[in-house]
Amino acid sequence: MTDESWAGWYRDRQGSDAVVLTTDGQQLRLRIRGVDFEGESFDGLAPVAGTPPPDGLFALVDGALGDCVLEWDLPLPVLWDDAVHQATLSCLLSLRRPDPYLHLELQFGGAAYGSHRAESDFASALATIQRSLPPGVRLQTCIACAFSDYFPAPGRGLSGGLACFRGAKDAYRGVADEGDVRELWERRTGFVQEIWSCREYESRPESGAGTGHRGAFPLELA
């Protein structure tokens, strides 16, 4: 996977700073006030080993960034009339305690399509946006892909826990329930960000085989 960089802002009690988020679809990296952070989830961005931040510069919760707000925009492909078009996804993530929340808004075709104001994870927020899009318009992201699924277990994290089965496409096409996903789990290629998109994307089936544990998109059973 090729790295992508997304410009945005970091805000906390110390002030606001322009930042650049970089990701390869799996690992997230962020430099703030001269300190490097990385993690597999947006709520798990921790200082890179060997670069502890000065005391009081950041509010860390369990070793990760907390009590802050991140905002960024990224280009997001959408499918419309059998062609790929570019949209922009604006992301607002508040990690302020005790009520962190996420809000996404997609700008496409001169209109804005937003998630609920306080979503708990990227999967739910993207599903909300997909439901509001005009007929025939589909998000082209990992959460909407034919080869992604979550492990069959209660709950899921904010981001980054979505398994990709692009290395076992033919096998996943026959997966229809959580038992099938468990049997195929060790053949996953890795984990990806829900807002990522790669060249091997295929639209997820609306029912039956290939809908895995979580079901069709945007209908999610997980």
Side-chain angles (χ1 to χ4, degrees), residues 175-206:
V175 170
D177 56 35
E178 67 175 63
D180 292 341
V181 173
R182 289 179 185 273
E183 290 183 8
L184 195 62
W185 191 250
E186 294 306 319
R187 296 182 60 186
R188 66 189 184 277
T189 303
F191 294 96
V192 291
Q193 295 295 327
E194 288 80 355
I195 53 177
W196 187 254
S197 180
C198 84
R199 295 179 181 178
E200 297 185 57
Y201 169 90
E202 289 185 21
S203 294
R204 195 169 186 81
E206 295 184 3

PDB file of all heavy atoms in Angstrom, residues 175-206:
ATOM      1  N   VAL A 175     -18.471 -16.818   1.992  1.00  0.00           N
ATOM      2  CA  VAL A 175     -18.714 -16.631   3.424  1.00  0.00           C
ATOM      3  C   VAL A 175     -20.080 -15.987   3.641  1.00  0.00           C
ATOM      4  O   VAL A 175     -20.375 -14.930   3.082  1.00  0.00           O
ATOM      5  CB  VAL A 175     -17.603 -15.762   4.043  1.00  0.00           C
ATOM      6  CG1 VAL A 175     -17.964 -15.361   5.458  1.00  0.00           C
ATOM      7  CG2 VAL A 175     -16.274 -16.511   4.024  1.00  0.00           C
ATOM      8  N   ALA A 176     -20.926 -16.641   4.460  1.00  0.00           N
ATOM      9  CA  ALA A 176     -22.291 -16.140   4.643  1.00  0.00           C
ATOM     10  C   ALA A 176     -22.707 -15.955   6.094  1.00  0.00           C
ATOM     11  O   ALA A 176     -23.797 -15.458   6.364  1.00  0.00           O
ATOM     12  CB  ALA A 176     -23.287 -17.075   3.954  1.00  0.00           C
ATOM     13  N   ASP A 177     -21.851 -16.345   7.063  1.00  0.00           N
ATOM     14  CA  ASP A 177     -22.220 -16.171   8.468  1.00  0.00           C
ATOM     15  C   ASP A 177     -20.960 -16.139   9.321  1.00  0.00           C
ATOM     16  O   ASP A 177     -19.835 -16.259   8.818  1.00  0.00           O
ATOM     17  CB  ASP A 177     -23.165 -17.278   8.936  1.00  0.00           C
ATOM     18  CG  ASP A 177     -22.593 -18.675   8.723  1.00  0.00           C
ATOM     19  OD1 ASP A 177     -21.362 -18.854   8.868  1.00  0.00           O
ATOM     20  OD2 ASP A 177     -23.375 -19.586   8.402  1.00  0.00           O
ATOM     21  N   GLU A 178     -21.149 -15.965  10.628  1.00  0.00           N
ATOM     22  CA  GLU A 178     -19.987 -15.815  11.506  1.00  0.00           C
ATOM     23  C   GLU A 178     -19.144 -17.076  11.601  1.00  0.00           C
ATOM     24  O   GLU A 178     -17.922 -17.009  11.762  1.00  0.00           O
ATOM     25  CB  GLU A 178     -20.414 -15.362  12.886  1.00  0.00           C
ATOM     26  CG  GLU A 178     -21.214 -16.353  13.699  1.00  0.00           C
ATOM     27  CD  GLU A 178     -21.479 -15.828  15.106  1.00  0.00           C
ATOM     28  OE1 GLU A 178     -22.163 -14.804  15.258  1.00  0.00           O
ATOM     29  OE2 GLU A 178     -20.978 -16.466  16.042  1.00  0.00           O
ATOM     30  N   GLY A 179     -19.765 -18.242  11.457  1.00  0.00           N
ATOM     31  CA  GLY A 179     -18.995 -19.476  11.474  1.00  0.00           C
ATOM     32  C   GLY A 179     -18.030 -19.541  10.313  1.00  0.00           C
ATOM     33  O   GLY A 179     -16.867 -19.965  10.468  1.00  0.00           O
ATOM     34  N   ASP A 180     -18.471 -19.108   9.137  1.00  0.00           N
ATOM     35  CA  ASP A 180     -17.599 -19.079   7.968  1.00  0.00           C
ATOM     36  C   ASP A 180     -16.436 -18.115   8.176  1.00  0.00           C
ATOM     37  O   ASP A 180     -15.300 -18.389   7.776  1.00  0.00           O
ATOM     38  CB  ASP A 180     -18.394 -18.659   6.730  1.00  0.00           C
ATOM     39  CG  ASP A 180     -19.411 -19.695   6.300  1.00  0.00           C
ATOM     40  OD1 ASP A 180     -19.283 -20.863   6.709  1.00  0.00           O
ATOM     41  OD2 ASP A 180     -20.350 -19.330   5.555  1.00  0.00           O
ATOM     42  N   VAL A 181     -16.714 -16.963   8.798  1.00  0.00           N
ATOM     43  CA  VAL A 181     -15.664 -15.978   9.046  1.00  0.00           C
ATOM     44  C   VAL A 181     -14.620 -16.533  10.016  1.00  0.00           C
ATOM     45  O   VAL A 181     -13.418 -16.363   9.821  1.00  0.00           O
ATOM     46  CB  VAL A 181     -16.255 -14.665   9.594  1.00  0.00           C
ATOM     47  CG1 VAL A 181     -15.152 -13.704  10.015  1.00  0.00           C
ATOM     48  CG2 VAL A 181     -17.143 -14.007   8.552  1.00  0.00           C
ATOM     49  N   ARG A 182     -15.068 -17.218  11.053  1.00  0.00           N
ATOM     50  CA  ARG A 182     -14.131 -17.810  12.010  1.00  0.00           C
ATOM     51  C   ARG A 182     -13.207 -18.819  11.316  1.00  0.00           C
ATOM     52  O   ARG A 182     -11.999 -18.850  11.587  1.00  0.00           O
ATOM     53  CB  ARG A 182     -14.894 -18.504  13.140  1.00  0.00           C
ATOM     54  CG  ARG A 182     -15.598 -17.547  14.100  1.00  0.00           C
ATOM     55  CD  ARG A 182     -16.352 -18.297  15.178  1.00  0.00           C
ATOM     56  NE  ARG A 182     -17.111 -17.409  16.029  1.00  0.00           N
ATOM     57  CZ  ARG A 182     -16.621 -16.794  17.116  1.00  0.00           C
ATOM     58  NH1 ARG A 182     -15.360 -17.018  17.463  1.00  0.00           N
ATOM     59  NH2 ARG A 182     -17.389 -16.014  17.842  1.00  0.00           N
ATOM     60  N   GLU A 183     -13.762 -19.621  10.422  1.00  0.00           N
ATOM     61  CA  GLU A 183     -12.951 -20.621   9.728  1.00  0.00           C
ATOM     62  C   GLU A 183     -11.915 -19.975   8.812  1.00  0.00           C
ATOM     63  O   GLU A 183     -10.827 -20.511   8.614  1.00  0.00           O
ATOM     64  CB  GLU A 183     -13.852 -21.551   8.915  1.00  0.00           C
ATOM     65  CG  GLU A 183     -14.706 -22.484   9.769  1.00  0.00           C
ATOM     66  CD  GLU A 183     -15.532 -23.432   8.927  1.00  0.00           C
ATOM     67  OE1 GLU A 183     -15.323 -23.458   7.684  1.00  0.00           O
ATOM     68  OE2 GLU A 183     -16.383 -24.144   9.484  1.00  0.00           O
ATOM     69  N   LEU A 184     -12.259 -18.809   8.271  1.00  0.00           N
ATOM     70  CA  LEU A 184     -11.366 -18.133   7.324  1.00  0.00           C
ATOM     71  C   LEU A 184     -10.454 -17.111   7.985  1.00  0.00           C
ATOM     72  O   LEU A 184      -9.554 -16.573   7.338  1.00  0.00           O
ATOM     73  CB  LEU A 184     -12.225 -17.437   6.250  1.00  0.00           C
ATOM     74  CG  LEU A 184     -11.542 -16.962   4.968  1.00  0.00           C
ATOM     75  CD1 LEU A 184     -10.941 -18.117   4.197  1.00  0.00           C
ATOM     76  CD2 LEU A 184     -12.532 -16.180   4.108  1.00  0.00           C
ATOM     77  N   TRP A 185     -10.656 -16.852   9.265  1.00  0.00           N
ATOM     78  CA  TRP A 185     -10.016 -15.726   9.934  1.00  0.00           C
ATOM     79  C   TRP A 185      -8.489 -15.707   9.791  1.00  0.00           C
ATOM     80  O   TRP A 185      -7.893 -14.660   9.548  1.00  0.00           O
ATOM     81  CB  TRP A 185     -10.400 -15.705  11.410  1.00  0.00           C
ATOM     82  CG  TRP A 185      -9.991 -14.434  12.103  1.00  0.00           C
ATOM     83  CD1 TRP A 185      -9.017 -14.268  13.038  1.00  0.00           C
ATOM     84  CD2 TRP A 185     -10.564 -13.135  11.896  1.00  0.00           C
ATOM     85  NE1 TRP A 185      -8.941 -12.960  13.436  1.00  0.00           N
ATOM     86  CE2 TRP A 185      -9.889 -12.240  12.744  1.00  0.00           C
ATOM     87  CE3 TRP A 185     -11.586 -12.654  11.075  1.00  0.00           C
ATOM     88  CZ2 TRP A 185     -10.185 -10.891  12.797  1.00  0.00           C
ATOM     89  CZ3 TRP A 185     -11.883 -11.295  11.121  1.00  0.00           C
ATOM     90  CH2 TRP A 185     -11.184 -10.438  11.975  1.00  0.00           C
ATOM     91  N   GLU A 186      -7.836 -16.847   9.932  1.00  0.00           N
ATOM     92  CA  GLU A 186      -6.375 -16.871   9.881  1.00  0.00           C
ATOM     93  C   GLU A 186      -5.833 -16.614   8.474  1.00  0.00           C
ATOM     94  O   GLU A 186      -4.621 -16.443   8.300  1.00  0.00           O
ATOM     95  CB  GLU A 186      -5.855 -18.209  10.408  1.00  0.00           C
ATOM     96  CG  GLU A 186      -6.144 -18.433  11.890  1.00  0.00           C
ATOM     97  CD  GLU A 186      -5.653 -17.297  12.771  1.00  0.00           C
ATOM     98  OE1 GLU A 186      -4.528 -16.793  12.521  1.00  0.00           O
ATOM     99  OE2 GLU A 186      -6.380 -16.885  13.694  1.00  0.00           O
ATOM    100  N   ARG A 187      -6.708 -16.567   7.485  1.00  0.00           N
ATOM    101  CA  ARG A 187      -6.268 -16.285   6.117  1.00  0.00           C
ATOM    102  C   ARG A 187      -6.402 -14.801   5.762  1.00  0.00           C
ATOM    103  O   ARG A 187      -6.191 -14.426   4.609  1.00  0.00           O
ATOM    104  CB  ARG A 187      -7.050 -17.145   5.121  1.00  0.00           C
ATOM    105  CG  ARG A 187      -6.800 -18.644   5.270  1.00  0.00           C
ATOM    106  CD  ARG A 187      -7.558 -19.449   4.233  1.00  0.00           C
ATOM    107  NE  ARG A 187      -7.167 -19.084   2.867  1.00  0.00           N
ATOM    108  CZ  ARG A 187      -7.761 -19.550   1.768  1.00  0.00           C
ATOM    109  NH1 ARG A 187      -8.788 -20.387   1.887  1.00  0.00           N
ATOM    110  NH2 ARG A 187      -7.354 -19.196   0.573  1.00  0.00           N
ATOM    111  N   ARG A 188      -6.741 -13.985   6.731  1.00  0.00           N
ATOM    112  CA  ARG A 188      -6.861 -12.545   6.474  1.00  0.00           C
ATOM    113  C   ARG A 188      -5.503 -11.975   6.064  1.00  0.00           C
ATOM    114  O   ARG A 188      -4.455 -12.422   6.525  1.00  0.00           O
ATOM    115  CB  ARG A 188      -7.392 -11.817   7.709  1.00  0.00           C
ATOM    116  CG  ARG A 188      -6.446 -11.830   8.898  1.00  0.00           C
ATOM    117  CD  ARG A 188      -7.110 -11.291  10.154  1.00  0.00           C
ATOM    118  NE  ARG A 188      -6.178 -11.219  11.276  1.00  0.00           N
ATOM    119  CZ  ARG A 188      -5.871 -12.242  12.055  1.00  0.00           C
ATOM    120  NH1 ARG A 188      -6.429 -13.434  11.850  1.00  0.00           N
ATOM    121  NH2 ARG A 188      -5.009 -12.089  13.053  1.00  0.00           N
ATOM    122  N   THR A 189      -5.528 -10.961   5.217  1.00  0.00           N
ATOM    123  CA  THR A 189      -4.300 -10.295   4.780  1.00  0.00           C
ATOM    124  C   THR A 189      -3.763  -9.381   5.862  1.00  0.00           C
ATOM    125  O   THR A 189      -2.559  -9.181   5.999  1.00  0.00           O
ATOM    126  CB  THR A 189      -4.577  -9.489   3.494  1.00  0.00           C
ATOM    127  OG1 THR A 189      -5.088 -10.378   2.496  1.00  0.00           O
ATOM    128  CG2 THR A 189      -3.302  -8.846   2.972  1.00  0.00           C
ATOM    129  N   GLY A 190      -4.657  -8.798   6.640  1.00  0.00           N
ATOM    130  CA  GLY A 190      -4.276  -7.869   7.700  1.00  0.00           C
ATOM    131  C   GLY A 190      -5.486  -7.042   8.084  1.00  0.00           C
ATOM    132  O   GLY A 190      -6.626  -7.372   7.732  1.00  0.00           O
ATOM    133  N   PHE A 191      -5.235  -5.970   8.823  1.00  0.00           N
ATOM    134  CA  PHE A 191      -6.310  -5.069   9.237  1.00  0.00           C
ATOM    135  C   PHE A 191      -6.158  -3.731   8.515  1.00  0.00           C
ATOM    136  O   PHE A 191      -5.038  -3.282   8.239  1.00  0.00           O
ATOM    137  CB  PHE A 191      -6.286  -4.858  10.751  1.00  0.00           C
ATOM    138  CG  PHE A 191      -6.611  -6.101  11.529  1.00  0.00           C
ATOM    139  CD1 PHE A 191      -5.600  -6.911  12.021  1.00  0.00           C
ATOM    140  CD2 PHE A 191      -7.927  -6.476  11.749  1.00  0.00           C
ATOM    141  CE1 PHE A 191      -5.894  -8.075  12.731  1.00  0.00           C
ATOM    142  CE2 PHE A 191      -8.239  -7.628  12.453  1.00  0.00           C
ATOM    143  CZ  PHE A 191      -7.217  -8.432  12.946  1.00  0.00           C
ATOM    144  N   VAL A 192      -7.289  -3.087   8.238  1.00  0.00           N
ATOM    145  CA  VAL A 192      -7.272  -1.830   7.493  1.00  0.00           C
ATOM    146  C   VAL A 192      -8.171  -0.794   8.155  1.00  0.00           C
ATOM    147  O   VAL A 192      -9.049  -1.124   8.954  1.00  0.00           O
ATOM    148  CB  VAL A 192      -7.738  -2.049   6.027  1.00  0.00           C
ATOM    149  CG1 VAL A 192      -6.712  -2.848   5.254  1.00  0.00           C
ATOM    150  CG2 VAL A 192      -9.105  -2.731   5.985  1.00  0.00           C
ATOM    151  N   GLN A 193      -7.946   0.464   7.784  1.00  0.00           N
ATOM    152  CA  GLN A 193      -8.807   1.543   8.221  1.00  0.00           C
ATOM    153  C   GLN A 193     -10.096   1.543   7.397  1.00  0.00           C
ATOM    154  O   GLN A 193     -10.060   1.347   6.177  1.00  0.00           O
ATOM    155  CB  GLN A 193      -8.102   2.897   8.056  1.00  0.00           C
ATOM    156  CG  GLN A 193      -6.874   3.065   8.932  1.00  0.00           C
ATOM    157  CD  GLN A 193      -7.204   3.077  10.414  1.00  0.00           C
ATOM    158  OE1 GLN A 193      -8.269   3.556  10.814  1.00  0.00           O
ATOM    159  NE2 GLN A 193      -6.293   2.568  11.227  1.00  0.00           N
ATOM    160  N   GLU A 194     -11.199   1.774   8.037  1.00  0.00           N
ATOM    161  CA  GLU A 194     -12.501   1.770   7.355  1.00  0.00           C
ATOM    162  C   GLU A 194     -12.588   2.816   6.248  1.00  0.00           C
ATOM    163  O   GLU A 194     -13.323   2.624   5.267  1.00  0.00           O
ATOM    164  CB  GLU A 194     -13.623   2.004   8.372  1.00  0.00           C
ATOM    165  CG  GLU A 194     -13.896   0.832   9.298  1.00  0.00           C
ATOM    166  CD  GLU A 194     -12.923   0.703  10.469  1.00  0.00           C
ATOM    167  OE1 GLU A 194     -11.932   1.483  10.542  1.00  0.00           O
ATOM    168  OE2 GLU A 194     -13.154  -0.173  11.320  1.00  0.00           O
ATOM    169  N   ILE A 195     -11.861   3.923   6.369  1.00  0.00           N
ATOM    170  CA  ILE A 195     -11.907   4.992   5.376  1.00  0.00           C
ATOM    171  C   ILE A 195     -10.865   4.824   4.284  1.00  0.00           C
ATOM    172  O   ILE A 195     -10.735   5.669   3.403  1.00  0.00           O
ATOM    173  CB  ILE A 195     -11.744   6.383   6.042  1.00  0.00           C
ATOM    174  CG1 ILE A 195     -10.490   6.411   6.915  1.00  0.00           C
ATOM    175  CG2 ILE A 195     -12.984   6.743   6.839  1.00  0.00           C
ATOM    176  CD1 ILE A 195     -10.220   7.767   7.553  1.00  0.00           C
ATOM    177  N   TRP A 196     -10.125   3.720   4.293  1.00  0.00           N
ATOM    178  CA  TRP A 196      -9.103   3.463   3.276  1.00  0.00           C
ATOM    179  C   TRP A 196      -9.752   2.873   2.028  1.00  0.00           C
ATOM    180  O   TRP A 196     -10.834   2.289   2.079  1.00  0.00           O
ATOM    181  CB  TRP A 196      -8.066   2.505   3.838  1.00  0.00           C
ATOM    182  CG  TRP A 196      -6.880   2.286   2.947  1.00  0.00           C
ATOM    183  CD1 TRP A 196      -6.592   1.180   2.198  1.00  0.00           C
ATOM    184  CD2 TRP A 196      -5.796   3.186   2.736  1.00  0.00           C
ATOM    185  NE1 TRP A 196      -5.405   1.345   1.532  1.00  0.00           N
ATOM    186  CE2 TRP A 196      -4.899   2.571   1.838  1.00  0.00           C
ATOM    187  CE3 TRP A 196      -5.490   4.478   3.204  1.00  0.00           C
ATOM    188  CZ2 TRP A 196      -3.714   3.182   1.408  1.00  0.00           C
ATOM    189  CZ3 TRP A 196      -4.316   5.088   2.777  1.00  0.00           C
ATOM    190  CH2 TRP A 196      -3.447   4.440   1.896  1.00  0.00           C
ATOM    191  N   SER A 197      -9.079   3.024   0.893  1.00  0.00           N
ATOM    192  CA  SER A 197      -9.545   2.411  -0.348  1.00  0.00           C
ATOM    193  C   SER A 197      -8.341   1.966  -1.159  1.00  0.00           C
ATOM    194  O   SER A 197      -7.340   2.691  -1.230  1.00  0.00           O
ATOM    195  CB  SER A 197     -10.380   3.406  -1.163  1.00  0.00           C
ATOM    196  OG  SER A 197     -10.842   2.806  -2.363  1.00  0.00           O
ATOM    197  N   CYS A 198      -8.409   0.764  -1.740  1.00  0.00           N
ATOM    198  CA  CYS A 198      -7.298   0.270  -2.555  1.00  0.00           C
ATOM    199  C   CYS A 198      -7.806  -0.173  -3.918  1.00  0.00           C
ATOM    200  O   CYS A 198      -9.017  -0.250  -4.174  1.00  0.00           O
ATOM    201  CB  CYS A 198      -6.541  -0.854  -1.849  1.00  0.00           C
ATOM    202  SG  CYS A 198      -7.256  -2.499  -2.051  1.00  0.00           S
ATOM    203  N   ARG A 199      -6.893  -0.507  -4.814  1.00  0.00           N
ATOM    204  CA  ARG A 199      -7.237  -0.843  -6.197  1.00  0.00           C
ATOM    205  C   ARG A 199      -7.974  -2.173  -6.314  1.00  0.00           C
ATOM    206  O   ARG A 199      -8.546  -2.467  -7.366  1.00  0.00           O
ATOM    207  CB  ARG A 199      -5.961  -0.883  -7.043  1.00  0.00           C
ATOM    208  CG  ARG A 199      -5.257   0.471  -7.163  1.00  0.00           C
ATOM    209  CD  ARG A 199      -3.991   0.357  -7.989  1.00  0.00           C
ATOM    210  NE  ARG A 199      -3.303   1.644  -8.098  1.00  0.00           N
ATOM    211  CZ  ARG A 199      -2.154   1.817  -8.741  1.00  0.00           C
ATOM    212  NH1 ARG A 199      -1.569   0.781  -9.341  1.00  0.00           N
ATOM    213  NH2 ARG A 199      -1.590   3.011  -8.802  1.00  0.00           N
ATOM    214  N   GLU A 200      -7.962  -2.965  -5.253  1.00  0.00           N
ATOM    215  CA  GLU A 200      -8.628  -4.270  -5.324  1.00  0.00           C
ATOM    216  C   GLU A 200     -10.059  -4.226  -4.799  1.00  0.00           C
ATOM    217  O   GLU A 200     -10.688  -5.263  -4.615  1.00  0.00           O
ATOM    218  CB  GLU A 200      -7.801  -5.308  -4.560  1.00  0.00           C
ATOM    219  CG  GLU A 200      -6.416  -5.513  -5.168  1.00  0.00           C
ATOM    220  CD  GLU A 200      -5.637  -6.630  -4.504  1.00  0.00           C
ATOM    221  OE1 GLU A 200      -6.151  -7.761  -4.480  1.00  0.00           O
ATOM    222  OE2 GLU A 200      -4.521  -6.356  -4.010  1.00  0.00           O
ATOM    223  N   TYR A 201     -10.569  -3.025  -4.594  1.00  0.00           N
ATOM    224  CA  TYR A 201     -11.946  -2.854  -4.109  1.00  0.00           C
ATOM    225  C   TYR A 201     -12.952  -3.496  -5.064  1.00  0.00           C
ATOM    226  O   TYR A 201     -12.856  -3.368  -6.280  1.00  0.00           O
ATOM    227  CB  TYR A 201     -12.266  -1.369  -3.956  1.00  0.00           C
ATOM    228  CG  TYR A 201     -13.733  -1.089  -3.708  1.00  0.00           C
ATOM    229  CD1 TYR A 201     -14.236  -1.038  -2.420  1.00  0.00           C
ATOM    230  CD2 TYR A 201     -14.616  -0.900  -4.777  1.00  0.00           C
ATOM    231  CE1 TYR A 201     -15.586  -0.793  -2.190  1.00  0.00           C
ATOM    232  CE2 TYR A 201     -15.968  -0.657  -4.546  1.00  0.00           C
ATOM    233  CZ  TYR A 201     -16.440  -0.610  -3.254  1.00  0.00           C
ATOM    234  OH  TYR A 201     -17.763  -0.374  -3.034  1.00  0.00           O
ATOM    235  N   GLU A 202     -13.940  -4.165  -4.477  1.00  0.00           N
ATOM    236  CA  GLU A 202     -15.135  -4.612  -5.198  1.00  0.00           C
ATOM    237  C   GLU A 202     -16.343  -4.336  -4.313  1.00  0.00           C
ATOM    238  O   GLU A 202     -16.261  -4.447  -3.090  1.00  0.00           O
ATOM    239  CB  GLU A 202     -15.074  -6.109  -5.519  1.00  0.00           C
ATOM    240  CG  GLU A 202     -14.061  -6.487  -6.585  1.00  0.00           C
ATOM    241  CD  GLU A 202     -14.127  -7.962  -6.938  1.00  0.00           C
ATOM    242  OE1 GLU A 202     -15.181  -8.607  -6.682  1.00  0.00           O
ATOM    243  OE2 GLU A 202     -13.129  -8.485  -7.467  1.00  0.00           O
ATOM    244  N   SER A 203     -17.456  -3.985  -4.918  1.00  0.00           N
ATOM    245  CA  SER A 203     -18.655  -3.679  -4.145  1.00  0.00           C
ATOM    246  C   SER A 203     -19.147  -4.915  -3.390  1.00  0.00           C
ATOM    247  O   SER A 203     -19.124  -6.026  -3.909  1.00  0.00           O
ATOM    248  CB  SER A 203     -19.767  -3.170  -5.067  1.00  0.00           C
ATOM    249  OG  SER A 203     -19.405  -1.934  -5.637  1.00  0.00           O
ATOM    250  N   ARG A 204     -19.620  -4.698  -2.193  1.00  0.00           N
ATOM    251  CA  ARG A 204     -20.089  -5.778  -1.333  1.00  0.00           C
ATOM    252  C   ARG A 204     -21.465  -6.265  -1.801  1.00  0.00           C
ATOM    253  O   ARG A 204     -22.328  -5.463  -2.157  1.00  0.00           O
ATOM    254  CB  ARG A 204     -20.176  -5.274   0.106  1.00  0.00           C
ATOM    255  CG  ARG A 204     -20.300  -6.366   1.160  1.00  0.00           C
ATOM    256  CD  ARG A 204     -20.101  -5.806   2.551  1.00  0.00           C
ATOM    257  NE  ARG A 204     -20.088  -6.867   3.537  1.00  0.00           N
ATOM    258  CZ  ARG A 204     -19.029  -7.614   3.803  1.00  0.00           C
ATOM    259  NH1 ARG A 204     -17.899  -7.401   3.153  1.00  0.00           N
ATOM    260  NH2 ARG A 204     -19.083  -8.572   4.714  1.00  0.00           N
ATOM    261  N   PRO A 205     -21.698  -7.589  -1.806  1.00  0.00           N
ATOM    262  CA  PRO A 205     -23.020  -8.103  -2.179  1.00  0.00           C
ATOM    263  C   PRO A 205     -24.099  -7.586  -1.236  1.00  0.00           C
ATOM    264  O   PRO A 205     -23.841  -7.266  -0.071  1.00  0.00           O
ATOM    265  CB  PRO A 205     -22.855  -9.622  -2.051  1.00  0.00           C
ATOM    266  CG  PRO A 205     -21.388  -9.870  -2.099  1.00  0.00           C
ATOM    267  CD  PRO A 205     -20.746  -8.674  -1.487  1.00  0.00           C
ATOM    268  N   GLU A 206     -25.315  -7.526  -1.727  1.00  0.00           N
ATOM    269  CA  GLU A 206     -26.424  -7.023  -0.913  1.00  0.00           C
ATOM    270  C   GLU A 206     -27.045  -8.102  -0.033  1.00  0.00           C
ATOM    271  O   GLU A 206     -27.764  -7.798   0.915  1.00  0.00           O
ATOM    272  CB  GLU A 206     -27.496  -6.409  -1.810  1.00  0.00           C
ATOM    273  CG  GLU A 206     -27.007  -5.161  -2.539  1.00  0.00           C
ATOM    274  CD  GLU A 206     -28.098  -4.501  -3.354  1.00  0.00           C
ATOM    275  OE1 GLU A 206     -29.244  -4.993  -3.297  1.00  0.00           O
ATOM    276  OE2 GLU A 206     -27.819  -3.499  -4.027  1.00  0.00           O
TER     277      GLU A 206
END
